[in-house]
Each structure stands twice: as structure tokens, then as C-alpha cells.
Amino acid sequence: MPLPKAELHLHVEGTLEPELAFDLAARNGVKLPYADTDELREAYRFEDLQSFLNLYYELMAVLRTERDFEDLADAYLTRAAAQGVRHAEIFFDPQAHLARGLDMGTVVEGLWRALGRSEESHGISTRLILCFLRDESADSALETLEAARPYLDRITGIGLDSAEVGHPPAKFRQVYETAAALGLRRVAHAGEEGPPEYITEALDLLGIERVDHGLRCMEDPELVERLVRERVPLTLCPLSNVRLRTVDTLADHPLPAMLDAGLLCTVNSDDPAYFGGYADDNFRAVRESLGLTEDRLRELARNSFLASFLEDDEERRARYLAEVDAYVF
Ligand code: HPA
Ligand code: ZN
């Protein structure tokens, strides 16, 4: 049995496996520009974040109906359960779907069909986090939040993803303020490809409670000190960092140095269908390549529950933490 854990950095569209992409393409009469799953897998060689995003957005064309989003989320939850995931806070990118003519209801209700029964079906509690695309305009983000208003009972928080460099957090100050006033939790990708200043800006101007990635904080010792002092969690994604060439090899990943510095790190899968592994695959990879001890792995699992948005269910958080403490490697 894998170590129990929460997954806090997971794009549901990034769980679209090639087989499911072809099944949905056939169901919806969508023609993909790849002959088969082998040829599609050949395209999974990325130079950087943008080269991945191009394929990520292209394949979304197969997602058309509520049932498609339900099947996507259900397939993820099935895999996540086998990897010891007990709680998942799941990102989705509505702008990418609204731009294709879908409506917010199709996306949210479709995902909810799977998430709403996830505890019974998979033993996984869930939260949903709506992400804004930072390479779209601030107005588009505000319009997207408006479109989500009827569904806010299903949505726990907001995030910020897509192409980072050239799209600093400041651009989204207003939509984060509006979201905070609506009682939504706030996270943002920062310091993946972008500079450490983007992390500081996201904390100061957007009021984020967790940093997604945040890897490049290590270039700024004062920022590291602040993140440690304020106990700001970081959602790291080691296999993603290797595939998108943020680090050269897994053995070069700064995770051990980050833990030694006292940062509240978590390990997550980001876009597992594209980056070669789900949650426990990431845990096993860092264990093998970075020689993390069992104590460190247990700390990472504890951190995942400590960093999760379970303030509305502290009993559950305590139960999950007890499972981690009782785990025998
Ligand atoms: N970074 C930024 N945007 C994303 C990612 C990522 O790793 N995955 C999906 N959208
Ligand atoms: Zn991400």
C-alpha cells in the first residue's frame, strides 16, 4: 500500500491519457492529428512549458460533454486511489473550454458528477480549484469568475496557470480581490519558469495561501526565509520539472535543499498523463533519485494534508494525518 497523501497540484485536463483522448475523439467525432496513441506519445517530448501547453490545449478538443469531463475526472480518481491519494484539490482551466464554445455548467457539473461521489467510489475527498489562464487578459479572468458564480458551491478556490514568463501576478490583482470577497481560497503558479519576484508579488498582491511550484524561490534567500517564517506551502512537481526542463535531471532537483531550509514542501504530479507519473510515482522517483529517507517521505505526506484546504473539516485532516503517522514503509 502506498503512503497516504493529498494531491494539491493536479490539472484535471493534464490527466487525459492518450487512450482516453482517442476514445473521446471517436465518441465526439473529433479528428486528432495523430494516427494512434503511439504517435501521440511521440509528441510528449517537451522543450519547455510552452511546448507542453501547445499539446495540452490541442488535446482538450476531445472534451465536449458533461460525460466527457466526468469520465476524465473518474479515470484520474481511479488512478489516484491506487497511488495512495486520500484527498485531491483539483485544478481546471475553464477559459480553455469556454473559448471552444462550451459553457461553464458543462465543465463544472461534468467534473462534479465524478467528484461528488468520489468518497464512496474511490475513498478520496476532493476540492475544485478554478484556474485563470495568465496569458489571457485580466478582463477575461473577471468574466470567467462571473460565469462561475452559479457554481461557487462546487468551487473552493482560484489559481493561476499557463505561460508564466511575461505575465506577472500583478495583472490579476482585481480578480483575486473579488474572489477573496466571495470567500474563495487563493493559490497561483509562481516561480516555475518565472523569477522569484513573481512569488513575492503573488504573496503581496494576490494574497495567495500556497505557491504552486515556487521552485525558483531558492534564488532568493530572503524569500526562502519569509516562506519558512510564514509557513507558506509549496506544491512541487518533480517529474514535471524534469519533463519541462526546469531542472536537468531528477538528481539535480532542489527538493532536499528546500526541505533542509525548512520549507513546507509537498510533492504532486501536475499533469501526470504528460509527465510520466501520478502522485506516488513522483514520491518513488524522488525517493530513488534524491535518496530521501523514510522520515522525509513521511514529512512530505504530512505536509500535503497540513497544506490542504481542509479547514472546513479538521476531523478529516486529523484522521488523514493519523494514517500517515501509522504508515509502515
Ligand atoms: N504550469 C503552468 N500551467 C499549466 C501547467 C504547468 O505546469 N500545467 C497545466 N497548465
Ligand atoms: Zn501546474
Side-chain angles (χ1 to χ4, degrees), residues 240-252:
S240 163
N241 295 151
V242 175
R243 290 298 185 101
L244 299 186
R245 307 200 184 178
T246 312
V247 299
D248 290 335
T249 71
L250 207 49
D252 301 310

Side-chain angles (χ1 to χ4, degrees), residues 299-319:
E299 176 187 349
L300 288 168
R302 284 188 63 84
N303 286 351
S304 71
F305 294 113
L306 294 173
S308 65
F309 291 148
L310 277 167
E311 280 78 5
D312 57 356
D313 197 350
E314 290 295 351
E315 243 175 66
R316 180 186 297 275
R317 190 194 325 259
R319 225 168 36 240

Side-chain angles (χ1 to χ4, degrees), residues 9-14 49 52-53 56-57 60 91 93 131-134 160-164 189-190 192-193 212-213 237 240-241 244 269-271 274-275:
H9 186 151
L10 182 280
H11 303 263
V12 74
E13 296 91 346
L49 175 57
F52 153 70
L53 289 170
Y56 171 82
Y57 292 125
M60 284 184 197
F91 296 143
D93 282 332
C131 283
F132 302 113
L133 304 183
R134 67 200 309 152
L160 190 61
D161 63 7
S162 201
E164 185 182 8
H189 284 52
E192 179 186 19
E193 284 190 346
D212 293 316
H213 293 297
C237 307
S240 163
N241 295 151
L244 299 186
S269 67
D270 208 4
D271 301 281
Y274 294 89
F275 300 150

Side-chain angles (χ1 to χ4, degrees), residues 118-129:
S118 169
E119 271 196 76
E120 303 103 87
S121 313
H122 304 287
I124 300 178
S125 50
T126 62
R127 298 286 186 275
L128 204 47
I129 298 179

